[in-house]
Amino acid sequence: MTENATTLMLFNSLTRQLEPFNPVHAGEARVYSCGPTVYNYPHIGNMRAYVFADVLGRTLSFKGYRLTHVINITDVGHLTDDADSGEDKMEKMAAERAQSIWDIAEHYKQAYWADVKALNIREPAHWTIATDYVPQMIEFAKGIAEKHCYELDSGLYFDVSTVADYGRLARAETTEGQSRIDPVPGKRNQLDFAIWRKTPPGETRQMEWDSPWGRGAPGWHLECSVMSGEVLGFPFDIHTGGIDHREIHHPCEIAQNQAHCCTNGLDVPANSGAQVWMHNNFLVERSGKMSKSSGEFLRLQLLIDKGYHPLAYRMMCLQAHYRSELEFSWEGLGAALTRLKRLSVAMSHHRSDPGNLEEARRLLSEMDANRELAEKWKSAVLREFDVAMSDDLNTPAALVVLEKVIGATKGLSSGWTIDTLMCALRIDEVLGLGLERLSRADLRIRPKSATITEAEIEAALARRQEARAAKDFATSDAIRDELTAQGVEVMDGDPLGWEWKLGD
Ligand code: AMP
Ligand code: ZN
């Protein structure tokens, strides 16, 4: 859309600076996001990475760029250590479960996609599945093998001393992440990494392919270099991932990309493959790093089972800047839910007139088709929103703008105009909170464990209302106590009229 003249500034981890977004291909934005390794369910920290990538993609669309977004699915090659030691995560899980890797990959891929949907993350243009790209990985490796790699008994290794400035993305002399690694006998440099792992003699893997370096499997870093280059072409615009990838995975990808581009005479700025590398900070638990194995495994489904709408978690993510660490707590999630309820209640007043919604939608699509019209429209509110999002995706500030649009008009139903509704809808196209559809009933806390039905609660509350109207407070209190005993908290004082919620 051209209603946005503000320059989009993004923080590039390569330079550790905010830089104006300057696409490789005019009017386009090509983005690659490191996707999940599908050996287990994603935790909500993992999902923060995709909410961030989604907000980035939506912002690029809002700014008028034609977006091509790729997210990969890693179903082979990711070892239990991000560098070169340990077992393949997929093989390990398959052995523990005595199941086929393909079944495991399919199960967890579907679970991940369910979370993607629940969090209103837009589908990327391409989901690339690592095992679909193995022939291309072998070709890529063949291209760089002679000048940049060497072979050991355990596989083909990339020699990091053959490229300029290895690890500039990580900045620190990060051997920290590597110190846990069992030394691989014969490695020339400590930071060298496997791009092809040979199956040890006498062993078979469920997933293995023939290659010039023997039967085996690709290295995890190789996968992302190949899939990003194949689908988006080098150089592309933006590569995203969690901050942990800034230390090992992405420096290794960059080294391979440099080698590949030099070998193939591609003129890539700094040869890093992508122009901008962006990283979201971690979601942490009070006790420290989020983990799938220790403590309560914080899956999105757990939040849902406890009664929280998944978009409350999206709201929680948006309340923090993506580069800040975010601490998860149930209180924090509750606060995000309340904030979302306020927005949803305000929106629902206006949505109750379907004519307005239709008209607003119609006008918005007219603007999408007509740049001049969009230019003329440019409401002050939308400019303010644009300024916030163009400031390295400042979602906390953008939420305040949205609240101002929706909440500034007192007496909601009477104060709204089509213009307000259009602004709210356009803003939500970027924030993705689903305000067009969410109702307050959707956002009630209702844990899976609750046995009482909503109809029963509603009936009890109606009886209680009658008793109160008749000033029969004894009956009213008795009904309230009965409900409390069944885990229903009656919220008389809630300013938004959230008349009840189910407790844990
Ligand atoms: P994985 O499936 O382990 O490859 O991780 C998927 C994505 O989640 C990667 O981009 C990671 O960098 C990111 N990630 C892992 N843990 C967290 C966390 N606690 N908070 C935010 N992002 C994370
Ligand atoms: Zn990756």
Side-chain angles (χ1 to χ4, degrees), residues 32 34-35 72 220 224 239 245 249-250 253:
Y32 181 90
C34 280
N72 73 287
W220 173 45
C224 284
H239 195 311
H245 289 351
H249 182 45
H250 290 169
E253 269 189 70

Side-chain angles (χ1 to χ4, degrees), residues 34-37 43 45-46 49-50 78 241-242 244-245 280-283 290:
C34 280
T37 305
H43 58 51
N46 298 131
Y50 307 110
H78 193 173
D244 51 333
H245 289 351
N280 63 277
N281 211 323
F282 265 27
L283 180 78
M290 190 151 294

